[in-house]
Amino acid sequence: MAERGMKRGRAWDETGVKKAGKVIWRSFSFGAVALLATMDSPLTPRSGPKPTWPIYKEVGADFIGELLEGRYKIVRRLAKGGMAHVFLAKDLARKCYVAIKLLRACSPEAHRRFAVEAEILSNIRHENIVRAIAFGHTADEQPYIALEHLDGETSSQRLALGPLPWREVAEIGIQIADALHALHRVGVIHRDIKPDNIILTRDADRSVAKLIDLGLASVGVPFHEAQDARFTPPVIRHKTQLGRAIGTPDYLPPEAGLCDANPLLDVYLLGATLYQLCTQLLPKLAGLRPIHEVNPSGEAPEDLRDFSARRSSPR
Ligand SMILES: Nc1ncnc2c1ncn2[C@@H]1O[C@H](COP(=O)(O)OP(=O)(O)OP(=O)(O)O)[C@@H](O)[C@H]1O
Ligand SMILES: [Mg+2]
């Protein structure tokens, strides 16, 4: 994952095709193998009723026009996620648009995760990871993160129009794999890779995929150590308990919750996400069939098909 398969924006050549195929299928094959190995696990996470959190008084139209801390003027709502509202706002100091992610859930755990999300995003610089600009509170003490505004659409919005062309999926795969590599290098596991959490934007004449939503990220020792060397460490450090799977159930591997968060979890999630972008189905629902069987009109090249057929066959 450390190497980029090719320079972005360059025409695809044969080598590029092979390298991109490897990135995608390396991701997917890890996922498929893990899934096959543990298919009967009693702890297989299932979609069920969504957990409920105590939430702040919901903000709506009344929030439009608000001025946060004398700086961010709320323009309109962009989205309402499970944990947060996201608004478009004008940053009056820097004279540019920003996205304001306002926490909805008000439990202590939600507060802790939100602060961790702000801390990670404020310490990571990567072209394919959304940048945090500020962390603050509304007049009612509701926390928010000001993020760079990503002008584009989520990959799930694109997926609603049909499967994405395989070249585009390969490019998204390379970019998000690179973003994950940067997170893993500093001890952060994302844990919630899915089409909703990838925004497709454009930079000049090329597309750039941006990873968002570090709200469920697990932070490991290297990140803590680096932060402790710079700032006074917090008294209590949180550790996720085993037996509790964290993430979006449909995307998680069956072993989630049985072992500590580790980079392979993100590799699995990325594999499942790329498969879904190519086929509109999660691999579990497609019976783990190779992509070109599920989506014959996808026109994947011969070598990618061979590679995928080899990787998908049980060992
Ligand atoms: N920086 C941004 N620029 C533009 N839109 C954004 C930005 N960040 C988030 N969004 C939009 O807001 C939605 C929700 O954001 P995010 O996933 O961070 O919130 P969440 O509440 O943690 O989500 P979830 O529903 O996954 O729990 C995204 O899917 C995207 O549509
Ligand atoms: Mg999200």
Side-chain angles (χ1 to χ4, degrees):
M1 256 197 255
E3 298 158 21
R4 212 175 264 283
M6 65 178 63
K7 286 257 188 310
R8 296 197 197 112
R10 220 203 275 158
W12 286 75
D13 56 15
E14 207 187 323
T15 325
V17 167
K18 281 185 184 149
K19 284 183 176 169
K22 277 185 188 156
V23 170
I24 291 185
W25 289 106
R26 203 182 300 146
S27 294
F28 173 63
S29 60
F30 267 121
V33 168
L35 184 66
L36 286 169
T38 50
M39 217 158 215
D40 295 318
S41 160
L43 277 194
T44 299
R46 298 187 195 292
S47 323
K50 288 206 166 147
T52 51
W53 302 276
I55 56 172
Y56 285 103
K57 182 170 85 59
E58 288 284 13
V59 292
D62 53 321
F63 200 58
I64 310 301
E66 283 276 311
L67 184 62
L68 300 184
E69 302 187 277
R71 178 167 172 182
Y72 302 110
K73 182 96 172 158
I74 305 296
V75 177
R76 65 180 162 86
R77 191 202 294 271
L78 291 172
K80 180 175 166 184
M83 300 298 281
H85 299 275
V86 181
F87 291 92
L88 179 70
K90 287 179 187 172
D91 179 342
L92 302 182
R94 297 188 314 141
K95 299 213 183 308
C96 64
Y97 283 116
V98 291
I100 297 289
K101 182 169 176 176
L102 182 70
L103 189 64
R104 294 175 61 216
C106 60
S107 66
E109 181 173 358
H111 271 252
R112 184 187 62 74
R113 288 194 188 283
F114 202 62
V116 169
E117 177 173 15
E119 186 178 343
I120 298 169
L121 290 178
S122 305
N123 281 282
I124 295 232
R125 299 267 174 290
H126 192 282
E127 191 195 8
N128 303 109
I129 302 177
V130 66
R131 268 185 319 116
I133 292 153
F135 182 57
H137 293 84
T138 64
D140 297 336
E141 290 300 313
Q142 197 166 343
Y144 70 84
I145 310 173
L147 300 160
E148 69 170 315
H149 172 238
L150 301 172
D151 194 6
E153 56 190 350
T154 61
S155 56
S156 50
Q157 286 167 333
R158 281 289 306 283
L159 195 55
L161 305 175
L164 278 67
W166 74 267
R167 286 167 196 264
E168 203 178 333
V169 177
E171 188 59 43
I172 294 169
I174 291 168
Q175 295 184 20
I176 299 300
D178 208 52
L180 288 176
H181 178 67
L183 290 176
H184 296 166
R185 211 171 31 205
V186 295
V188 174
I189 313 296
H190 187 289
R191 296 202 286 197
D192 202 18
I193 310 293
K194 57 181 178 179
D196 274 346
N197 288 339
I198 297 172
I199 298 190
L200 307 175
T201 61
R202 289 202 74 76
D203 178 10
D205 59 348
R206 68 197 182 90
S207 12
V208 181
K210 301 268 191 179
L211 187 58
I212 61 165
D213 196 358
L214 276 282
L216 295 183
S218 151
V219 180
V221 175
F223 188 85
H224 286 312
E225 282 181 354
Q227 288 297 81
D228 290 354
R230 298 179 203 136
F231 304 97
T232 309
V235 184
I236 300 168
R237 192 138 275 164
H238 180 83
K239 172 109 178 58
T240 301
Q241 288 160 2
L242 290 185
R244 187 174 160 218
I246 291 185
T248 303
D250 284 345
Y251 291 81
L252 285 172
E255 72 274 21
L258 295 176
C259 48
D260 284 333
N262 69 73
L264 285 181
L265 172 63
D266 282 347
V267 173
Y268 180 97
L269 295 171
L270 177 59
T273 298
L274 298 179
Y275 187 104
Q276 190 185 16
L277 293 180
C278 287
T279 62
Q280 289 191 302
L281 287 175
L282 280 163
K284 291 181 206 182
L285 295 178
L288 296 177
R289 282 177 301 143
I291 285 174
H292 63 272
E293 271 180 40
V294 185
N295 178 16
S297 60
E299 293 177 356
E302 252 347 285
D303 54 352
L304 184 56
R305 287 167 181 230
D306 293 349
F307 191 68
S308 93
R310 279 203 308 276
R311 290 293 170 162
S312 309
S313 58
R315 298 171 180 196

